[in-house]
Amino acid sequence: MARTPTSTNTRPSPPRRTFGDFVKAFLAFVALAVLVVGVPGSLAYFVGWPLPDEMPSLGMLQQQITVHTFVSVLTVVVWLAWAQFTACVLVEVKAALSGVGLPSRVPGAGASQALARQLVAALLLLSAGAASFAPGLSQLGQTLQEQHRPTVAASAQQSPGQQAQHQQEKAAADRAEAAAQAAVAGESAKEDGTKFYRIQPPEGRHHDSLWEVAERHLGDGRRYKEIHQLNKDRLQPDGSKLSQASLIRPGWIMEMPADAYGGDLVEMPDEAPKVSGEVREQITDYAKSGEHAQGGGEQSGREQGGGALDTDTTQISVPEQRPAQEQPTAPVETAVPVGEDSSFGLPEALIASPLLAAGLLAALGRRRRTALWQSAMGAVAGRRGMEPPAPTGAAADVQDALLVGADPEAVRLLDRSLRGLSAALAAESRTLPTVYAAWLTGGELHLQLAQPEGQPPAPWQLGQDPTFWRLERSAAEAYEESDTAAPYPGLVSLGTLDESRLLLNLESVPGIVSLRGAAQDRAGVMASIAAELATNGWSDRMTITLVGFGEELGALAPTRLRHLGGMEDLLEAMEAETRQRRGALGAAGHDSVLTGRTGHAQHNRWAPHLVLLAAEPTEAEASQLAELAVGAGRLGIGYLVGTGTSDLPGAVWELEVTADGRLLAPLLGLELQAQMLPRTQHEAVVQLFRDAIPGNDPDPDPATRPFLVDITEQGRPAVYARLVGPYELIGLDTPDSERSVLLHEALALLLLHREGVHPRVLAASLWPRGATEDVRDALIERLRGWLGADQDGTPRLGSDASGRLTLAPSVVSDLDVLRSLHHEATHGRGARSATVRERLLTDALGLVRGPLLADRPGGRYRWLTHEIIDAQLPLLVADVGLALSAHHLDKGRPDQAIAAVNAALSSSPTDERLWNELLRSTHATGDAARLAELATSLVTRSAEHSGGARGLPPRTEALLDELLPTWRAGRAEAG
């Protein structure tokens, strides 16, 4: 059956109507005319205008209420009721004529709107739009609850708690409705025959879909599920089956619901001559398979005591949660953002993206640590000292938002849970299931599978149906670190629904994912996806190709992100990679990359490749891309294409971002609050990463110089905190025992950030799982009172112009003194006097009593994982030790030089520079046996730390060749 050229552009002919339909329509017209036109006309004629002709006064309120006054008040009430009913009629008529979306709710008009809906539906019963607008006048006596029962698509938007609350009554209502529809459809089929539709080939860039078929022939695209259920798993003419509502092929036959209408439908057997003999034979064979499949399905449903289970996981469903009393006490994600007040405003998009923020913060920390070591080892020029440049302006706000929003615990649990699942499946010789989505909801992780895969390995459990696997937080915490390859590195956050966060597995999509919406909104979503994929903690390796946007995002992860100039380069690269991956899978004997990932880590071989395309392809390029995307899911290749149209070839999942930040996916049954990275925040994040590159800021702002203290006798501080080693305070009274731990931790955070700490960052650091504003503000006031004021009355805890909390110069730490002594010794008075330099460096080394905050209580100071002080302090101590050792060697005192190096090694034992300086100092003693013993010790130590995999570092080997040429012979004899 070929489609006529105008079949998609003309309105299909309406179905046949009975005499009763005309009677109902006429009565509905009369009722509407009376209610909408007759009521106001009667009021105006018999009563007139009920409102007073002059402004009310106090005297009028004191007058006696007469019959005329009572009638006027009653008339106003009737006028208001008429206005409300008329608004309901207009809303229902608009929805019926447009055929798009559910009618809007008129406030407080439940019964009125229900009546208006039935009357309008009856009036429009003779038109095509009424077929899906209302069930019919037979429902007029139903309760409001039955009339407004949510549709299947709407139920997918309920929160997990609401789903659990209404699950039983919804299931009963659905069964009753399904039985009624089946009975009506059966009677209609007997009377009118069975209707079929043949999926049409694409016209240009337009591809047929079940949504459009339902929109054309049922009057409502949301009824595509009815078509899907009628045809699911039935054998098609080409030998394949319909398993996912979003995947249909030209030439397939679709049995249609009995109330379908339209010129390109075929009603068997009456309209058999309408199509060719081949198509007629296909429809006849398909109808037989339908009778057999439906009979079996009905029998199975009766045996199970209910309807057959729908396992169409193209619908991404919100997982159900357990009752509140069974919920774990600690959620997977930070449940409550700290502070929403306008005075402490920060970029909310990042605060609301805990997984993205955690990934960016971890990657930024790694970048800064790398920069520190490169500077310390002399690998780059333009060294700026031990302090990275303090961000300012938008970059400072973004960094604070990352600190507030990041949830590294959720990332850790997600990563360990997924790797643990992979290891458990490998132990049972089972392959990884295809996962379409993951939900972080409440205290649990839910995976939604492409199809049922049986019982999951313990401690995982089945979820709300066989396509959900669920893991409780307490079980996830039991997982240890694993060298198993990351099983689902393509998972990426799309947004939230209530308290549930959705991660879509872009790698598993059997085709292209399209993203529609305004250009700037699409850019915000795609930037968020790119940034999270580039920095997330649940992936090992991957390639992310950006086309048409995001060249600057390469600063986030140069080894993961690459940028291509246009479609021609992309198609050429992806054609080659697709061929290569298919060949590699075949040679390895795997049917998909998931098979290859099971077992010990194989990060390099089966790493995913995700393409994010913002450039609009031409028709030919889009078709070529669609061909490449066929079967790409099993190759580990995913495509996300931003487009301004709704007919992208090969798009099996369609997303749309709206101007108000919602992410819609009708075919997936989703409506989320989208996760986005707006342009200004996107640029500020990139700036943070660029500033972390050594030598990238040759002229730092003088206002951001490291905090230095007066180290003379006149500069004695009012409050002195010892942080390098056990935590000690001098100059403050001991606070109440209940609040002592929090106050000490808050003071330590402020001391390590002399540039200032945002109040929301302070609260998020002390209460990682959230706290209210009054709790935060009470702590700040308590801290201010504890620190007191200087002699001139200035509070020692103040605020700068941006609202960040700052400490007065009279409150210092030993780390401040250590930095100041080193600076004065190398750039101040010590640079001009060897004696002064020796004294300053000796005093600095004497401040080192152990690691930072050595005796901190367990479970506290978790914010230190976001800091780089654990890298800064050892390098600073090493610099002090090296400078003092060099001074002693210049003075001919090798033993004192050795003592200085050993003191520094106690705090920085892995610094290669210190070991090399120790070799030089030992060589200066002239004791060859002592030098040989040290060389042997170094070789042994290096083998222990590397597991025997490598020898000494190249610089150390070269130095030993110079100082002790016989060391290699000695090592060979020892071996």
Side-chain angles (χ1 to χ4, degrees):
M1 176 186 63
R3 178 189 289 180
T4 62
T6 60
S7 62
T8 60
N9 299 324
T10 60
R11 184 72 175 174
S13 60
R16 293 187 294 272
R17 300 300 180 190
T18 65
F19 178 76
D21 294 334
F22 286 94
V23 173
K24 292 176 182 177
F26 175 76
L27 294 176
F29 173 78
V30 172
L32 284 172
V34 169
L35 293 173
V36 176
V37 179
V39 169
S42 300
L43 289 173
Y45 182 81
F46 292 106
V47 181
W49 186 248
L51 297 179
D53 298 328
E54 57 185 13
M55 291 296 294
S57 63
L58 183 60
M60 294 177 63
L61 296 177
Q62 295 173 345
Q63 293 176 1
Q64 183 179 2
I65 298 177
T66 64
V67 174
H68 176 74
T69 305
F70 180 81
V71 171
S72 297
V73 172
L74 185 60
T75 304
V76 171
V77 173
V78 176
W79 272 106
L80 292 176
W82 169 83
Q84 185 188 60
F85 179 79
T86 303
C88 294
V89 172
L90 294 175
V91 167
E92 297 296 330
V93 169
K94 178 181 180 296
L97 294 179
S98 67
V100 178
L102 292 173
S104 302
R105 294 287 181 88
V106 177
S112 296
Q113 190 162 5
L115 177 61
R117 177 172 303 163
Q118 299 305 325
L119 292 175
V120 172
L123 179 62
L124 300 179
L125 195 62
L126 305 183
S127 70
S132 64
F133 177 64
L137 289 179
S138 60
Q139 291 187 353
L140 198 59
Q142 293 180 347
T143 64
L144 290 177
Q145 179 181 3
E146 292 170 333
Q147 291 170 355
H148 294 286
R149 182 185 304 131
T151 64
V152 174
S155 67
Q157 303 307 315
Q158 292 179 348
S159 67
Q162 291 171 324
Q163 284 188 328
Q165 180 180 357
H166 300 294
Q167 181 182 10
Q168 293 182 347
E169 59 183 272
K170 179 181 180 299
D174 287 347
R175 284 195 294 271
E177 183 177 359
Q181 288 178 352
V184 173
E187 292 299 323
S188 178
K190 291 176 184 176
E191 179 182 347
D192 300 330
T194 306
K195 300 171 185 177
F196 295 89
Y197 174 80
R198 190 164 184 258
I199 302 300
Q200 300 300 306
E203 297 181 356
R205 297 182 64 178
H206 178 79
H207 288 240
D208 217 349
S209 70
L210 289 190
W211 181 281
E212 292 175 323
V213 173
E215 206 164 44
R216 288 197 303 270
H217 301 296
L218 298 174
D220 189 345
R222 289 170 302 208
R223 295 184 66 188
Y224 77 92
K225 283 189 169 185
E226 298 175 34
I227 307 176
H228 176 261
Q229 286 302 318
L230 280 173
N231 298 276
K232 184 180 178 185
D233 293 330
R234 294 169 62 177
L235 193 65
Q236 293 290 340
D238 62 359
S240 56
K241 295 181 180 180
L242 173 68
S243 60
Q244 299 174 14
S246 57
L247 296 180
I248 58 175
R249 299 178 184 175
W252 279 8
I253 307 297
M254 294 288 118
E255 182 178 341
M256 300 293 289
D259 62 342
Y261 56 85
D264 46 358
L265 294 180
V266 177
E267 188 171 340
M268 298 293 283
D270 296 346
E271 298 183 354
K274 183 177 178 180
V275 295
S276 66
E278 179 185 0
V279 174
R280 184 165 60 249
E281 183 179 350
Q282 290 177 354
I283 293 178
T284 301
D285 293 341
Y286 188 75
K288 293 177 181 178
S289 74
E291 293 171 357
H292 172 74
Q294 290 171 356
E298 291 169 0
Q299 178 66 26
S300 173
R302 287 191 296 268
E303 291 173 357
Q304 296 175 10
L309 177 66
D310 177 15
T311 57
D312 174 27
T313 53
T314 302
Q315 279 288 309
I316 304 297
S317 304
V318 179
E320 296 175 0
Q321 296 189 76
R322 295 170 295 158
Q325 62 269 22
E326 299 180 16
Q327 290 290 339
T329 56
V332 171
E333 294 191 74
T334 302
V336 183
V338 181
E340 300 293 339
D341 52 298
S342 59
S343 61
F344 294 143
L346 288 176
E348 297 297 334
L350 284 170
I351 294 177
S353 308
L355 304 183
L356 169 62
L360 288 171
L361 205 56
L364 183 60
R366 289 192 297 270
R367 177 68 55 81
R368 287 173 171 172
R369 285 181 173 86
T370 300
L372 283 173
W373 281 102
Q374 288 177 340
S375 296
M377 300 304 171
V380 295
R383 184 179 180 188
R384 297 170 302 193
M386 290 300 130
E387 291 289 336
T392 58
D397 289 340
V398 161
Q399 178 172 275
D400 286 340
L402 293 177
L403 290 166
V404 172
D407 191 352
E409 185 67 12
V411 173
R412 185 183 69 86
L413 289 177
L414 177 62
D415 181 45
R416 289 190 176 185
S417 300
L418 295 177
R419 293 181 195 267
L421 173 63
S422 178
L425 289 170
E428 297 178 5
S429 299
R430 296 169 63 183
T431 58
L432 288 165
T434 300
V435 168
Y436 280 154
W439 288 92
L440 285 172
T441 177
E444 300 176 338
L445 169 63
H446 298 253
L447 299 182
Q448 187 164 2
L449 315 183
Q451 59 187 11
E453 296 284 352
Q455 190 70 27
W460 288 78
Q461 306 172 35
L462 282 176
Q464 62 204 53
D465 64 52
T467 64
F468 272 91
W469 285 3
R470 174 174 63 87
L471 183 67
E472 299 177 8
R473 179 188 175 91
S474 57
E477 290 175 336
Y479 276 122
E480 301 293 338
E481 296 286 352
S482 171
D483 65 346
T484 304
Y488 303 112
L491 285 169
V492 65
S493 302
L494 285 189
T496 57
L497 175 60
D498 295 330
E499 297 299 323
S500 300
R501 182 169 300 277
L502 171 65
L503 291 88
L504 194 66
N505 190 4
L506 289 177
E507 184 188 21
S508 72
V509 180
I512 293 173
V513 178
S514 70
L515 176 65
R516 292 186 291 120
Q520 64 178 14
D521 298 325
R522 296 201 311 264
V525 172
M526 297 188 81
S528 169
I529 290 174
E532 185 170 298
L533 288 172
T535 61
N536 73 50
W538 54 88
S539 304
D540 298 316
R541 281 191 69 257
M542 69 169 64
T543 300
I544 307 156
T545 297
L546 309 180
V547 183
F549 83 108
E551 183 175 5
E552 68 284 353
L553 289 173
L556 274 57
T559 59
R560 283 194 183 186
L561 281 165
R562 69 171 182 174
H563 181 269
L564 296 180
M567 283 296 301
E568 184 177 349
D569 294 338
L570 174 67
L571 292 173
E572 180 180 353
M574 296 315 298
E575 283 178 355
E577 182 162 351
T578 299
R579 288 195 302 268
Q580 186 272 332
R581 290 202 174 212
R582 283 177 178 158
L585 278 178
H590 298 314
D591 58 349
S592 77
V593 294
L594 292 177
T595 311
R597 285 185 191 145
T598 308
H600 291 292
Q602 303 181 39
H603 306 156
N604 297 331
R605 192 169 187 182
W606 308 115
H609 185 169
L610 302 175
V611 177
L612 307 183
L613 175 63
E616 191 79 21
T618 65
E619 183 173 334
E621 291 170 341
S623 299
Q624 191 174 352
L625 190 66
E627 292 177 5
L628 287 174
V630 174
R634 72 181 189 89
L635 303 177
I637 302 175
Y639 296 91
L640 175 66
V641 181
T643 176
T645 64
S646 58
D647 55 357
L648 184 71
V652 295
W653 288 358
E654 296 182 348
L655 310 176
E656 179 182 2
V657 58
T658 65
D660 59 353
R662 291 179 301 133
L663 192 68
L664 310 178
L667 284 180
L668 299 179
L670 288 177
E671 182 174 338
L672 307 171
Q673 187 63 37
Q675 177 171 300
M676 305 175 72
L677 188 59
R679 183 69 190 180
T680 54
Q681 298 174 33
H682 158 189
E683 293 174 346
V685 166
V686 171
Q687 189 61 45
L688 284 174
F689 279 80
R690 285 177 173 166
D691 287 346
I693 300 174
N696 211 30
D697 185 18
D699 298 313
D701 185 352
T704 64
R705 290 179 301 177
F707 176 74
L708 302 177
V709 300
D710 185 354
I711 55 175
T712 65
E713 284 295 325
Q714 292 75 24
R716 185 178 297 275
V719 177
Y720 182 64
R722 305 181 73 182
L723 306 180
V724 185
Y727 194 168
E728 298 178 7
L729 279 176
I730 301 172
L732 285 178
D733 297 330
T734 303
D736 297 339
S737 58
E738 295 82 6
R739 301 185 176 100
S740 177
V741 173
L742 276 177
L743 290 174
H744 278 76
E745 186 173 356
L747 179 57
L749 177 62
L750 290 165
L751 285 167
L752 293 177
H753 289 276
R754 303 302 307 218
E755 74 279 7
V757 175
H758 197 287
R760 294 181 70 175
V761 174
L762 177 68
S765 301
L766 300 181
W767 296 286
R769 299 197 182 281
T772 57
E773 296 173 14
D774 56 339
V775 172
R776 175 197 66 198
D777 295 341
L779 172 81
I780 293 174
E781 288 307 313
R782 195 173 293 117
L783 180 62
R784 182 175 284 114
W786 181 44
L787 291 175
D790 289 331
Q791 291 182 354
D792 60 359
T794 304
R796 292 173 183 149
L797 178 61
S799 300
D800 63 12
S802 65
R804 288 174 172 80
L805 301 171
T806 57
L807 291 174
S810 59
V811 182
V812 302
S813 70
D814 53 357
L815 187 57
D816 298 326
V817 177
L818 178 60
R819 289 194 184 102
S820 301
L821 288 169
H822 176 256
H823 182 271
E824 187 67 18
T826 54
H827 296 86
R829 291 176 296 140
R832 301 185 296 272
S833 169
T835 302
V836 173
R837 181 167 63 253
E838 177 182 345
R839 177 174 58 80
L840 293 172
L841 293 173
T842 302
D843 290 345
L845 205 55
L847 293 174
V848 180
R849 302 173 297 122
L852 186 76
L853 298 167
D855 57 352
R856 58 181 178 266
R860 305 301 311 176
Y861 296 86
R862 292 183 179 179
W863 46 269
L864 281 172
T865 58
H866 302 317
E867 306 285 342
I868 61 170
I869 186 61
D870 59 333
Q872 290 174 296
L873 181 58
L875 286 175
L876 179 58
V877 173
D879 271 9
V880 173
L882 289 170
L884 186 56
S885 174
H887 170 78
H888 286 309
L889 285 179
D890 287 343
K891 297 297 183 179
R893 301 192 290 258
D895 288 327
Q896 290 175 278
I898 292 173
V901 173
N902 282 328
L905 279 170
S906 64
S907 292
S908 186
T910 60
D911 196 321
E912 181 189 356
R913 299 172 302 158
L914 289 174
W915 289 105
N916 292 346
E917 186 67 14
L918 185 60
L919 286 171
R920 294 189 187 94
S921 300
T922 304
H923 178 266
T925 63
D927 190 338
R930 187 175 177 182
L931 181 60
E933 183 180 354
L934 176 59
T936 302
S937 174
L938 278 177
V939 171
T940 303
R941 176 185 172 279
S942 180
E944 290 175 351
H945 279 264
S946 63
R950 61 181 178 84
L952 293 172
R955 292 186 180 185
T956 304
E957 284 193 354
L959 181 60
L960 273 174
D961 287 337
E962 173 66 25
L963 302 180
L964 188 65
T966 60
W967 76 276
R968 295 181 185 273
R971 182 177 64 172
E973 292 176 4

